Amino acid sequence: LPISQGSDRLGSASPQPGAMAAAAAAEMWRSKLGNKYPKKDIEKWDLQLKAELGALRKTGCNMKCFDCGASDATWASPKLGIFICVACSDVHRAAGAHITCVKNFSTYLWGPDEVALMKAVGNTRGRDYYGCGTVLPSDSKNHKVDVCTKKYGTPTVQKTIEAHIASATSQASTGAKVEQPVKVASSALAAPLRAHPPIQFQAAAKAMPAPSNTDWFDELFGPEEVLAGPGAKTAATGYQEQAVRQQSAAPAVELDEFFEMCKSTQPAPAVTKQAPNCFGNGLDDLIFEDFGKW
């Protein structure tokens, strides 16, 4: 088999430049404003763009046809940025693509530049750009086409349309902005880390053991120190000494005598009542005062 020129392998020809260009063109989509976009992007944006158009159709004068006032504004002229009815869409198509163009909101794909122009103009602002002249739905198609050509085909209006297209194209190209990552200065990255001193932890003081001869009863139930400073120890010591003297001065009662008193039917001799002092237990004296009378 002969080796064909420009082939990568035996008997296989390389793709022709015309075929490659056709394949690349098939992957692109062209809007009514003359701008090209990847078709996969247009298909991906279709739901969002159709939702934005649906919201525009429900606002103000956009609900009625810009040319005849009919209520079924299901078509639009992306080049003029106005909402029209299906009958007037046929009129715009007959006027020619050099003047206007048409699309509906269901079967056609819409580009971001076309939606941007529809947002910028609409039926309310369109009266400022194209005038307030209208036709009747009952007028003949020829009459409607003649009015459409005179209304939108003048050089002044076409220059206005070109300015709108340029603005919408620019807005569509800069509409989707990618958030840029935050850049850190190289000097900050090169700066050495600052060493911080280690945290110092203060050890808790150790508890001192109690002396072996500590009297725990006195420690728990002894009198509280009411004085601050050096005098507190002197007051406590004096209190203890006075209590010891009172205990030694109290009359000792033998245990046998106590039992004899309990057995005896005779009344116990009267005990001289002594006034309780601040250190004595007056409650005990009152209890045992009438003990022999039970």
Side-chain angles (χ1 to χ4, degrees), residues 213-224 240:
N213 58 350
T214 303
D215 190 349
W216 293 106
F217 185 84
D218 292 341
E219 292 289 337
L220 296 176
F221 302 101
E224 296 182 356
Q240 294 176 357

Side-chain angles (χ1 to χ4, degrees), residues 11-118:
S12 62
S14 61
Q16 299 298 323
M20 296 178 61
E27 297 177 357
M28 300 300 293
W29 180 87
R30 185 184 180 92
S31 71
K32 294 290 186 179
L33 305 185
N35 300 311
K36 294 182 179 180
Y37 300 91
K39 189 174 182 181
K40 62 179 182 180
D41 291 343
I42 294 298
E43 293 174 349
K44 181 176 63 177
W45 301 334
D46 184 61
L47 292 178
Q48 176 64 28
L49 296 176
K50 292 287 181 62
E52 295 178 7
L53 289 171
L56 289 175
R57 291 175 56 193
K58 298 178 181 179
T59 58
C61 299
N62 297 338
M63 293 185 292
K64 294 184 178 182
C65 177
F66 183 78
D67 288 341
C68 69
S71 58
D72 59 337
T74 55
W75 285 69
S77 172
K79 190 174 182 179
L80 303 178
I82 57 175
F83 296 82
I84 57 177
C85 64
V86 60
C88 289
S89 69
D90 189 38
V91 173
H92 280 249
R93 189 180 291 109
H98 64 288
I99 295 177
T100 181
C101 60
V102 292
K103 268 187 176 183
N104 62 26
F105 301 107
S106 57
T107 60
Y108 285 85
L109 292 173
W110 284 73
D113 54 343
E114 298 170 337
V115 176
L117 199 147
M118 297 296 298

Side-chain angles (χ1 to χ4, degrees), residues 20 22 26 36 104 189 214 226 243-244 248-249 252 268 273:
M20 296 178 61
K36 294 182 179 180
N104 62 26
L189 296 176
T214 303
V226 295
V244 171
S248 60
K273 184 183 300 185

Side-chain angles (χ1 to χ4, degrees), residues 156-197:
T156 303
V157 173
Q158 287 299 310
K159 286 186 177 295
T160 302
I161 294 172
E162 291 176 1
H164 292 165
I165 293 175
S167 177
T169 301
S170 176
Q171 182 178 354
S173 62
T174 59
K177 296 182 179 179
V178 180
E179 185 177 358
Q180 298 295 331
V182 179
K183 294 183 179 180
V184 181
S186 58
S187 58
L189 296 176
L193 296 177
R194 181 180 298 177
H196 295 276

Side-chain angles (χ1 to χ4, degrees), residues 7-8 18 26 51 59 91 101-102 118 128 132 138 150 205 219 222 230 249 260 272 286 289 294:
S7 62
D8 295 332
T59 58
V91 173
C101 60
V102 292
M118 297 296 298
D128 299 332
C132 300
S138 59
K150 293 179 180 180
E219 292 289 337
E260 290 297 332
T272 304
L286 294 177
E289 179 181 3
W294 295 353

